[in-house]
Each structure stands twice: as structure tokens, then as C-alpha cells.
Amino acid sequence: MVDIKDFGEYETAWCPGCGNFGILDALKKALVACGLGPHEVLIVSGIGQAAKIPHYLNVNVFNGLHGRAVPVATGAKLAHPGLTVIAESGDGCMYGEGGNHFISAIRRNIDITMIVHNNQVYGLTKGQASPTSDEGFVTKAQPHGVYSSPFNPLAVAVALDAGFVARGYAGMKEHLTDLIVRAIRHRGFSLVDILQPCVSFNKVNTYAWYKERCRELPIGYDPTDRELAFRTALLFGGRIPLGVIYEKTGRPVFEDRFTALKNGPLAVQKTDFDALRAIIADLA
């Protein structure tokens, strides 16, 4: 039986009080709840404070280029469909540099889970505005405030008919753990956008700010109602709904479309030398 200790415990480079700690705890508990051993999980990240999370877990890890977690995760899932693949990074990495990969993964419906630490700021590079920063947010790099409207990942995901769209909060770990479990168990692309205070570089969206606004979705909320999901995804500010905003099953899964994978990963399939000789003969 898998135990939370199997995923290790490491000294981190995060600031005391960082929201990343709550997300790391929730992720470990979710993996245990899913009964997944460290060898059955791959976590892919890009660059940033959130992207360090695979460094602090005993799982298979790929820490790559900024914004490129999703394409690497997609390739890994195609190479080994039996692996549980999680792409995890920050809002800048996933929605900024990796924004088009986010959209493509939804359209393909590849069976990966995308976990985004959304603190509305670039923390690793000392506090520039990110794609989810509110309009008017003042930073050292944007002293007159952000001019652009914030990117709404949930609304985009619902608009593209993503299979699983959820929002959690790093300060509500038990609720967040349940969301991650459901996202991992969903077959097809799943998104968990996690609101997370950055205690060093975001003095607006603090723990107190989130505590005043974050509320679980009401009992009876229907996540299969797409129009309701879209309206819910647009709520941010005075009240922020948390939970599974939208869920749809039955969409074809990307890796199932590849006939070459019907007999399992290519790495474990036997070579058909007769077919290979026929191909070589055609080329001769």
C-alpha cells in the first residue's frame, strides 16, 4: 500500500508561507488517494517557483523549458499511455509562454492533468505581472499598473469544451486534494487552476483576501451544464467559486486514436521484421 512517506520530504527553496507548500501537500495526498506508486507517475514542469515542485517528490520527473511542460507531457503520454502524467507549473509558465500548448491540449483531449499554481505574478523573477494579474496591478516592471485584461483560464477551457475544469485554493487543502484526485481520475484532459498567495511579490491577493472571497460551489451545482459553467468561470473578484466548474465525459481521448498504440507502448511491443523487410523493399 502506498504511503505519503513514499513521495519523500525535502528542504525547499520557497519563501516561508508560500502557497506552494499547501499545493505540494495536497498533491501528495491525492496521489496516495489514487493508489499510485511513485514509479507510476510522471510530473513535468517548466520554469518558475511552482515548477520546482517535481524536485520535492519521489516520482518520475522532467523539468524542461519555460512554457513547454504540456508538449513534453503529451509526448510522454503517447510513449507510455499507462503512465499517470501531470503537467505542473505556474500561471506565467502555463498561460503565458505555454498558452498555445494549453489550448492545443484541450483540443486534442490528451489524457494528462494540468495543475497550475496561479498566484497572479512571476515569483521566480521577482514580481513582474503575469497573464492572470488584474488590470491596474502595480509592480516594479509595471509602475503605472497593468494595462492588459487578465487571462481567464477557466472561461477559455469551458469555451473549448475541456473535459474537466476545476479551481481550488492552496489554503483549503482537503478540498484541493479532492479536486486533484478527481482530475487525475478523469480520462482526458483535466485542468486544476489553483489560487495561491505569493507572500513576497503579490501584496494584493493575500491569504486574507482569498479567505474573504473563496467559497465552495453550492450543493446541487451541476458541472455538466456548460452555460452555467461559463457564467461561473467568469466570477472573480467579490466572490470566487471553488470546485469542479465543468465536467464532460465521452470525448475521444487523443492517444486512443493511434492504432500503433492498441497493443501497448511501442517500447514493449515486438518488432515485426516481415513488415520491416517489406518497407525496406519498397524503398529499394
Side-chain angles (χ1 to χ4, degrees):
M1 180 177 289
V2 181
D3 187 270
I4 199 164
K5 294 179 182 176
D6 295 332
F7 294 96
E9 190 163 339
Y10 298 89
E11 182 179 351
T12 75
W14 296 328
C15 304
C18 176
N20 284 333
F21 290 104
I23 300 174
L24 177 59
D25 287 346
L27 177 59
K28 286 181 181 178
K29 291 177 180 176
L31 294 173
V32 172
C34 289
L36 293 167
H39 66 289
E40 299 173 294
V41 179
L42 168 67
I43 297 184
V44 183
S45 68
I47 298 296
Q49 294 291 0
K52 293 176 181 175
I53 207 163
H55 304 180
Y56 311 137
L57 282 164
N58 291 338
V59 295
N60 301 294
V61 169
F62 190 102
N63 190 202
L65 300 174
H66 205 186
R68 303 297 180 255
V70 169
V72 174
T74 299
K77 188 66 182 181
L78 291 177
H80 192 342
L83 197 62
T84 294
V85 180
I86 298 170
E88 182 153 9
S89 222
D91 49 296
C93 191
M94 292 296 206
Y95 302 143
E97 289 80 5
N100 197 42
H101 298 307
F102 168 51
I103 292 171
S104 296
I106 295 173
R107 293 175 57 218
R108 291 175 176 136
N109 199 31
I110 182 80
D111 184 23
I112 63 173
T113 297
M114 179 169 158
I115 295 176
V116 183
H117 301 216
N118 186 355
N119 58 13
Q120 300 175 262
V121 77
Y122 282 93
L124 182 70
T125 47
K126 312 304 181 191
Q128 297 92 340
S130 78
T132 56
S133 296
D134 289 329
E135 195 169 342
F137 183 65
V138 176
T139 75
K140 290 181 180 177
Q142 288 90 14
H144 302 295
V146 173
Y147 295 152
S148 303
S149 299
F151 181 73
N152 187 325
L154 303 186
V156 170
V158 174
L160 291 173
D161 209 18
F164 185 95
V165 183
R167 168 168 277 161
Y169 169 48
M172 296 167 59
K173 286 195 288 187
E174 296 306 316
H175 181 259
L176 178 58
T177 300
D178 178 62
L179 293 181
I180 296 174
V181 168
R182 293 176 65 179
I184 290 173
R185 289 177 174 167
H186 175 87
R187 188 141 198 280
F189 178 82
S190 56
L191 167 69
V192 184
D193 182 82
I194 306 172
L195 300 174
Q196 172 220 340
C198 175
V199 295
S200 295
F201 299 108
N202 186 339
K203 304 299 184 185
V204 176
N205 308 109
T206 61
Y207 281 99
W209 191 91
Y210 284 120
K211 184 177 180 180
E212 184 179 337
R213 292 164 173 80
C214 287
R215 297 290 183 272
E216 293 184 35
L217 286 167
I219 296 173
Y221 176 85
D222 180 7
T224 67
D225 184 335
R226 194 176 179 196
E227 289 188 14
L228 174 62
F230 192 72
R231 291 196 300 272
T232 304
L234 296 178
L235 296 175
F236 194 92
R239 182 169 69 90
I240 304 175
L242 304 180
V244 179
I245 307 292
Y246 182 58
E247 185 164 22
K248 178 180 181 177
T249 57
R251 278 188 66 193
V253 176
F254 190 58
E255 55 267 38
D256 289 350
R257 298 175 182 268
F258 294 82
T259 55
L261 297 175
K262 284 186 176 179
N263 297 319
L266 296 180
V268 301
Q269 292 185 34
K270 293 183 179 178
T271 305
D272 185 342
F273 288 101
D274 290 337
L276 182 59
R277 290 189 190 95
I279 293 172
I280 293 174
D282 285 343
L283 296 174

